Amino acid sequence: MGKKADRFIVKEKEGAQLSDSGLIQVIVDKETGVNYLWIKSGYAGGLTVLVDAEGKPVVSAEEC
């Protein structure tokens, strides 16, 4: 059985985990194109779907 390809990719990244602002990443689901915001600071973290001005999920149109 071959290795399964990763489903998620990091589209953008800034900061650092131990800085005051923490690590901020935009993660894209390659199967659906949906963008998520991941923030980690110290031992805490959070994940949420990115939404546009109308409250709809942000979907990457380009092939990931």
Side-chain angles (χ1 to χ4, degrees):
M1 195 165 26
K3 182 183 175 196
K4 185 176 178 182
D6 293 334
R7 180 171 175 172
F8 299 93
I9 61 167
V10 176
K11 184 176 180 180
E12 296 182 35
K13 179 180 176 181
E14 64 181 63
Q17 181 176 336
L18 298 177
S19 68
D20 288 340
S21 61
L23 175 65
I24 301 168
Q25 295 179 325
V26 175
I27 300 171
V28 179
D29 182 337
K30 293 192 299 187
E31 291 185 17
T32 63
V34 175
N35 287 240
Y36 298 89
L37 179 67
W38 166 250
I39 299 176
K40 184 173 183 186
S41 182
Y43 293 107
L47 179 73
T48 189
V49 174
L50 281 176
V51 295
D52 62 17
E54 297 175 358
K56 296 179 182 177
V58 174
V59 178
S60 294
E62 69 274 354
E63 182 72 23
C64 298

